[in-house]
Amino acid sequence: MKKLILILFIITGFNTAKAQQQPLSQKMTATAMKLWKDSTAKWAYEQGVVLRGVEEVWLQTGDKKYFTYVQNYIDALINKDGVIKNYKIDDYSLDNILCGRSLLMLYKITKAEKYYKALLQLRQQLKDQPRIPEGGYWHKKRYPNQMWLDGLYMGSTFYADYAAAFGENEDFDDIAKQFILADEHTRDPKTGLLYHAWDESHKEKWSDPKTGLSPNFWARADGWYAMALVDVLDDFPANHPKRAQLISILNNLAVAIQKYQDPKTGAWYEVMDKANEKGNYLESSASCMFVYALAKGVRKGYLPSSYLAVADKGYKGIVSKFMETDASGQMNLTGTVSVGGLGGTPYRDGSYQYYLSEKVVTNDPKGVGAFIQASVEVERLAHLNDGAGKTVLLDSYFNDEHKKDPITGKMISYHYKWDEIDNDGFSFLGHVFNNYGLKTETLFEGPTEANLKKANVYIIVDPDIPKENKDAKYIEAPHIKAISDWVKDGGVLVVLNNDTGNAEFAHLNNLLAKFGMRFNLDSRNHVITPHFETGAINIAADNEIFKTAKKVYIKELATLAVTAPAKSALTDKNDVIVAIAKYGKGTVFAVGDPWFYNEYTDGRKLPPDYQNFEAANDLVKWLVKQIPVK
């Protein structure tokens, strides 16, 4: 109950974002897309921060324009052979790796060979990147023996994304090492803060001759490290032996972040521990980074919910102090220090005076990108408590297709998977479930009383037939008993079938008969692209499930026949498109198409008047309400 009250309080506190007609993340993204067009694209870490923010807004909205922006920007920098414009691997600069995260996203969606070839160059750089004897990366070749906190965000986030995408789990040992070494060598035991950098040789002029540490706690450096931690944890295998240590490091850093938050404004100072010294100032990019890390850390369960109060105060401070709207209506972010480094020419000594000498500017991409990401995390809190502590379980037993990746040659599981971000995947649907507080997990075994206990929602999608999977597994009597007993006890079953000839019907219908439903052996709404109108279904204003979506697209679907306790929840031309049933304490939802997969929810294919993404949000909201309150 305490967590519930706290989250509700914090969400109420984010009224600054919610009161806007358009979310602040989208307003700032409009500014970014205006300022940094693909015609002036450059391969730089600053733009990598912006691209990540735009990608997150795309996931929140299902609006194609955000994906198109990222793709056009990267395409302006990659030729057909995968050569990256102005990228020099021999520089061995970790800064040059960050844009690879957007590159990897594009490859996973499109499977375009040019993206893969470009990815291989970045991965090769990490293989050859110079290291200190303990194994930590040099920040750049021209900065020998130096580990900078910046480098953890620039290089290790891509490293983790890449390892997860290509199943190179052994690399997570090395990724963990980068964070642990940085923590061991830069953390100050008194303040809990991390110094900007560490020189293993102790020879650099800015480094302490005894410790090798730079002199100060630069806020954005700690911000890079905090953001990097919460991002790589997304990719870390749940059973990795170092995962718990990384979460512990994040929690230790969160204590220090809270300690040095300005009590009046909620923002953070450029030099974190010198709030009262002459010339110090509140800095926007680091403040955004800390809000992002804390809000995401709580949402993902890495941090206690008490840190939402810190994030709330920080976000309201950012909006109050650093956000401005000009006469044209453009939103701008002020108060970002343009750069902060060590060494080089002219020489940067890391002194307090040095950090205060760099220019403070408006609409710096590092600040804008961090603000977009922080805003998205804040916006994701709106419904977080609705399904907090609940789990949605996706079947990967009856639907268990595999194929060979055409480029890597590896066999991969595909077709309606949470982590699949191309057309066939359910990543957008999973994102919506996560926004409502539910954990998304996968069941690789046949359903039983025991393994369904952890599920509040169970999704069966497109059961295999032999032409898709020679080892197709069918829904048999023991499965039917386990599922129906689970529903009767309060479970919420979602069945997303396919049309006849593309899914298994007989065994699935045996299950649905328990609830008064049957899929007809038919197929309607045949569409020849681009004639999308033949797949259109209009939804009445009084629909009990779809409260915001009024026009959706479903092609080649099987209709349903219903008897009590089932009923139609969406009818079109006398055909039952969606059926629902109450069964004991539980609920069943069924439609004759996978429908909510990325091809129809990510906005890239459908004309903008179709509202499949909104329908997915409507459905998840309704499903959460069907879960019995215990």
Side-chain angles (χ1 to χ4, degrees):
M1 178 58 77
K2 288 182 179 180
K3 182 176 181 180
L4 170 64
I5 293 171
L6 176 62
I7 292 177
L8 289 174
F9 173 76
I10 296 303
I11 291 171
T12 302
F14 283 128
N15 283 336
T16 309
K18 293 178 67 178
Q20 305 295 323
Q21 187 175 7
Q22 185 183 43
L24 295 185
S25 63
Q26 294 177 43
K27 285 193 170 186
M28 185 54 75
T29 299
T31 298
M33 292 165 64
K34 179 180 178 181
L35 292 175
W36 301 297
K37 300 181 183 299
D38 56 77
S39 59
T40 58
K42 60 179 180 178
W43 190 264
Y45 77 90
E46 294 97 330
Q47 299 309 130
V49 186
V50 174
L51 294 175
R52 283 293 297 177
V54 178
E55 180 185 341
E56 290 297 317
V57 174
W58 175 49
L59 290 173
Q60 278 292 93
T61 62
D63 190 328
K64 176 183 180 178
K65 68 183 178 185
Y66 301 116
F67 172 84
T68 300
Y69 174 81
V70 175
Q71 185 173 39
N72 288 346
Y73 197 96
I74 293 294
D75 280 351
L77 297 166
I78 307 290
N79 72 15
K80 64 180 181 179
D81 296 319
V83 176
I84 304 171
K85 184 179 179 180
N86 297 327
Y87 167 74
K88 296 179 181 179
I89 192 171
D90 292 342
D91 287 345
Y92 291 109
S93 169
L94 292 180
D95 288 346
N96 291 337
I97 298 292
L98 184 61
C99 283
R101 299 185 75 185
S102 297
L103 186 66
L104 178 58
M105 180 270 289
L106 293 172
Y107 169 70
K108 288 167 70 176
I109 290 175
T110 67
K111 297 298 189 291
E113 187 175 7
K114 68 175 182 178
Y115 298 138
Y116 184 66
K117 288 180 176 179
L119 287 169
L120 291 179
Q121 297 172 63
L122 302 179
R123 183 66 187 89
Q124 189 62 48
Q125 179 186 323
L126 289 178
K127 289 179 180 179
D128 299 335
Q129 186 80 10
R131 298 174 183 247
I132 64 170
E134 290 177 275
Y137 286 132
W138 293 7
H139 187 59
K140 298 180 182 180
K141 184 173 71 174
R142 64 190 180 101
Y143 297 141
N145 307 304
Q146 299 171 32
M147 289 189 74
W148 294 20
L149 297 184
D150 316 38
L152 277 300
Y153 188 76
M154 308 308 164
S156 292
T157 53
F158 168 80
Y159 195 179
D161 288 350
Y162 188 98
F166 295 108
E168 298 179 357
N169 286 350
E170 65 280 1
D171 287 339
F172 285 103
D173 293 342
D174 191 29
I175 295 165
K177 179 190 295 183
Q178 305 305 315
F179 286 91
I180 292 168
L181 285 174
D183 180 70
E184 289 177 348
H185 288 294
T186 68
R187 184 178 296 278
D188 174 54
K190 181 179 178 181
T191 64
L193 297 170
L194 279 64
Y195 287 97
H196 186 176
W198 171 66
D199 172 25
E200 186 270 341
S201 71
H202 299 198
K203 295 178 180 178
E204 189 64 35
K205 285 191 291 182
W206 54 254
S207 70
D208 184 292
K210 293 182 179 180
T211 66
L213 289 166
S214 60
N216 283 288
F217 305 113
W218 181 44
R220 192 156 73 217
D222 282 56
W224 289 130
Y225 187 80
M227 289 181 77
L229 269 172
V230 294
D231 281 4
V232 300
L233 282 167
D234 288 346
D235 294 317
F236 251 77
N239 60 352
H240 193 278
K242 297 298 183 181
R243 180 182 174 87
Q245 187 173 355
L246 295 186
I247 293 174
S248 176
I249 290 172
L250 174 64
N251 276 265
N252 290 337
L253 181 56
V255 171
I257 291 170
Q258 179 177 9
K259 178 181 178 181
Y260 288 97
Q261 183 178 37
D262 178 45
K264 182 178 179 180
T265 66
W268 284 265
Y269 279 88
E270 162 76 347
V271 180
M272 293 186 71
D273 65 330
K274 293 180 169 58
N276 298 319
E277 293 199 17
K278 184 179 179 180
N280 206 358
Y281 59 90
L282 296 167
E283 201 277 333
S284 61
S285 68
S287 297
C288 293
M289 291 174 178
F290 292 143
V291 168
Y292 171 83
L294 295 176
K296 182 174 181 179
V298 172
R299 181 177 62 79
K300 299 287 288 187
Y302 310 142
L303 294 173
S305 59
S306 58
Y307 283 103
L308 284 179
V310 185
D312 168 46
K313 187 172 184 176
Y315 191 69
K316 289 192 290 188
I318 292 164
V319 173
S320 174
K321 183 169 181 60
F322 301 117
M323 303 309 304
E324 295 180 354
T325 303
D326 62 25
S328 70
Q330 176 177 296
M331 175 175 284
N332 303 301
L333 179 75
T334 66
T336 301
V337 65
S338 57
V339 70
L342 296 162
T345 305
Y347 196 80
R348 299 168 296 183
D349 63 4
S351 65
Y352 177 73
Q353 291 72 24
Y354 159 70
Y355 285 112
L356 300 187
S357 70
E358 295 288 7
K359 289 183 180 180
V360 179
V361 299
T362 295
N363 289 340
D364 181 276
K366 299 178 288 294
V368 168
F371 177 81
I372 294 170
Q373 293 185 59
S375 296
V376 168
E377 281 301 325
V378 166
E379 291 154 18
R380 295 189 73 177
L381 297 174
H383 298 288
L384 190 65
N385 196 63
D386 294 8
K390 306 296 191 298
T391 298
V392 53
L393 199 58
L394 178 63
D395 165 68
S396 191
Y397 179 76
F398 303 119
N399 170 47
D400 188 31
E401 296 180 68
H402 289 73
K403 67 178 180 180
K404 182 180 287 188
D405 186 290
I407 293 180
T408 66
K410 294 181 179 180
M411 292 300 296
I412 56 173
S413 175
Y414 82 109
H415 229 185
Y416 316 125
K417 310 300 178 187
W418 293 133
D419 60 354
E420 197 176 3
I421 70 172
D422 64 7
N423 281 351
D424 290 335
F426 270 153
S427 60
F428 269 76
L429 181 61
H431 187 88
V432 176
F433 272 115
N434 294 156
N435 279 351
Y436 279 81
L438 286 87
K439 292 188 296 182
T440 46
E441 297 187 2
T442 303
L443 184 62
F444 297 98
E445 304 169 335
T448 64
E449 178 186 356
N451 59 32
L452 287 176
K453 280 184 177 180
K454 68 177 181 180
N456 301 98
V457 180
Y458 175 48
I459 301 177
I460 298 175
V461 55
D462 186 30
D464 291 340
I465 52 178
K467 76 173 186 179
E468 301 169 324
N469 179 1
K470 66 179 181 179
D471 297 319
K473 303 173 185 70
Y474 302 119
I475 300 172
E476 306 288 1
H479 304 133
I480 293 173
K481 182 178 186 334
I483 295 170
S484 60
D485 286 350
W486 170 79
V487 173
K488 184 181 292 185
D489 196 41
V492 180
L493 174 65
V494 177
V495 178
L496 307 176
N497 198 25
N498 216 321
D499 62 335
T500 184
N502 288 305
E504 201 285 323
F505 275 65
H507 295 80
L508 179 59
N509 275 337
N510 288 339
L511 168 64
L512 289 182
K514 297 283 290 186
F515 315 113
M517 303 177 185
R518 186 186 78 251
F519 281 111
N520 297 315
L521 294 173
D522 59 4
S523 180
R524 59 159 282 181
N525 282 25
H526 289 269
V527 176
I528 299 176
T529 305
H531 304 291
F532 291 102
E533 281 303 311
T534 53
I537 291 179
N538 294 305
I539 302 176
D542 61 350
N543 189 278
E544 65 177 293
I545 299 174
F546 304 107
K547 300 294 186 182
T548 61
K550 301 306 176 190
K551 181 182 179 182
V552 295
Y553 178 85
I554 318 179
K555 75 166 188 175
E556 297 170 6
L557 72 151
T559 62
L560 285 134
V562 296
T563 57
K567 65 178 183 177
S568 174
L570 178 60
T571 300
D572 183 71
K573 299 174 183 177
N574 297 319
D575 288 332
V576 177
I577 305 300
V578 173
I580 59 175
K582 297 300 293 184
Y583 184 77
K585 299 177 183 178
T587 306
V588 180
F589 171 99
V591 61
D593 187 78
W595 192 10
F596 299 103
Y597 56 108
N598 294 344
E599 185 174 2
Y600 301 138
T601 54
D602 71 6
R604 294 191 303 121
K605 179 175 182 176
L606 294 182
D609 57 327
Y610 289 96
Q611 297 176 299
N612 286 40
F613 182 78
E614 289 81 357
N617 277 271
D618 287 341
L619 174 63
V620 170
K621 184 176 183 178
W622 181 82
L623 292 173
V624 170
K625 289 180 179 178
Q626 308 313 304
I627 299 172
V629 177
K630 295 184 178 180

